[in-house]
Every structure is written in C-alpha cells, then in structure tokens.
Amino acid sequence: MTLNTPMLTEKTYYTPEEYLELENQSEIKHEYLNGEIIAMTGGTTNHNKLALKIAAKLLAILEEQGYEIYIGDVNLWIETSNRYTYPDVMVVKDRAIYQGKNQTIITNPLVIIEVLSKSTANYDQGDKFDAYRTIPSFQEYVLVSQTEYYIKQFVKNEQGKWVLTDYRGESEILKLESVDFEISLKQLYQYIDFTQSED
C-alpha cells in the first residue's frame, strides 16, 4: 500500500515539506529518511496490545507528575538525520515542543519505547537508535519483544554513555530510570499469544 498520489512513482527524493504535504493526504503512515518516503506496515494484535498497555500504564502513573504520553500516530522530527518517524510510545517531560507551527510533530522525547517486529527489529536497534541518540532531550530507550518475555533497556548515564540492561523471563520487573515507573513482564505480557506470527 502506498500514498494516494502519483508523485511517489515519479520521484526518488522528497523535501521534508513535500513529505509532510503527502503525509497529510495519506491514509497510511510513512516515515521519512533523508529524502526517501517509506511506507509503514501494519502491526499485529500483539504489537498493538503491548504498545497500548505500556502507554496506558505510563499515562495512569505519570500524567499527574507533569509528563505527556504519546502513542504511534504522533510524528517525531529528528533534525540531525533529516528524519520523521512514528515511535510506538513516547514520554515527554512537561510539554511537547513542536516543529514549527505544526502541532502533530514533536521534537523532545525523554523516553522512547518500541515494540520490536521481525521487519523492523534491526532498524529499531541500529540506524533508528543512532538517530534517536542525537536528540538532546532523549535519555532512555526501551525495546519490547512480542515473541517472548524479553525487554532491552538503554539508559544514558551521567557520562553520556548508553548502558544496556536486559530483562528476560516473566518474573522480571522493568524499571525506568528517567521517570518513576515500573511494570512486571508478567503483567505486561498477560494477554500476549507468543505463537502469533510477528509483523
């Protein structure tokens, strides 16, 4: 499925302004990477359940503490890599800082959470993470498997180094470092069918 416009078959490079105009007309979401427009695939029910549960729990705990929680339909602009992307879940301290006058694109996540899928796992852990790390406000990255009780957590320490912690098994408890939040993997994965095919 592609954007509802002939331009995508005629061009190989798009400006950010062209991307935003096309994205506003599109029925599906696309990422933008340095001139290239990439269609995003649909997610499994496991993917949806995990992202929604994390976002709901974060909202319930953090909203009164001065944080905003956003889910996968909010666009993130990363200026240093000329990239627009849609993280599964973002936590923003205080209020979102928008790109220009557009109130659909934010620039200042504190925490980003991605639910991994077969088609995007390498990208989420590689090039995308490289881009995320250039965001000044960004302090914590959480990658959630949808096929087993497994989470990777990267936290930026005081020396600016990214430290990895693995959580594997239903008895583990994910504890975020940037905000006051924790959830057991047993609770998070309560209704997840591990036999379901990944997206």
Side-chain angles (χ1 to χ4, degrees):
M1 199 171 196
T2 58
L3 275 169
N4 229 352
T5 172
M7 287 181 66
L8 282 184
T9 60
E10 298 169 4
K11 295 186 64 171
T12 56
Y13 178 85
Y14 297 86
T15 66
E17 294 76 19
E18 288 172 329
Y19 160 76
L20 293 174
E21 183 178 346
L22 292 168
E23 190 72 349
N24 286 337
Q25 301 168 14
S26 176
E27 295 178 0
I28 64 170
K29 293 184 295 186
H30 299 76
E31 294 194 344
Y32 176 85
L33 176 55
N34 200 27
E36 183 180 2
I37 295 177
I38 305 163
M40 297 178 66
T41 58
T44 63
T45 53
N46 276 352
H47 188 287
N48 189 269
K49 286 176 185 176
L50 288 164
L52 185 59
K53 179 171 273 191
I54 291 170
K57 295 289 184 183
L58 285 166
L59 184 65
I61 293 171
L62 297 180
E63 186 176 35
E64 297 304 317
Q65 299 179 31
Y67 294 90
E68 295 180 341
I69 314 301
Y70 297 97
I71 56 173
D73 59 348
V74 172
N75 211 329
L76 171 65
W77 165 241
I78 309 170
E79 184 175 7
T80 55
S81 60
N82 196 24
R83 182 188 309 243
Y84 290 94
T85 185
Y86 291 91
D88 289 322
V89 181
M90 290 185 284
V91 178
V92 170
K93 187 175 183 180
D94 300 322
R95 293 289 179 264
I97 298 173
Y98 297 103
Q99 182 198 29
K101 297 178 181 178
N102 192 328
Q103 294 197 355
T104 61
I105 303 169
I106 70 170
T107 62
N108 63 320
L110 174 68
V111 180
I112 295 176
I113 299 168
E114 299 278 16
V115 178
L116 296 176
S117 61
K118 189 179 297 183
S119 61
T120 64
N122 290 338
Y123 174 51
D124 288 340
Q125 298 175 82
D127 289 348
K128 187 185 277 190
F129 187 27
D130 290 345
Y132 286 163
R133 292 200 303 269
T134 68
I135 301 171
S137 62
F138 180 52
Q139 296 292 315
E140 191 160 2
Y141 192 38
V142 179
L143 297 166
V144 180
S145 170
Q146 58 175 304
T147 58
E148 60 178 319
Y149 292 98
Y150 184 44
I151 292 175
K152 289 182 178 181
Q153 175 191 40
F154 294 90
V155 178
K156 188 177 182 180
N157 67 18
E158 293 180 356
Q159 290 75 42
K161 306 294 185 183
W162 287 88
V163 179
L164 168 64
T165 302
D166 284 325
Y167 300 86
R168 192 183 297 273
E170 65 178 311
S171 63
E172 291 275 16
I173 297 175
L174 170 67
K175 297 181 180 180
L176 298 187
E177 297 291 332
S178 305
V179 294
D180 185 15
F181 175 84
E182 64 180 52
I183 187 171
S184 71
L185 271 63
K186 183 176 183 180
Q187 181 185 18
L188 176 61
Y189 286 96
Q190 183 176 2
Y191 298 107
I192 298 303
D193 177 8
F194 290 130
T195 65
Q196 184 183 106
S197 297
E198 281 188 87
D199 52 331

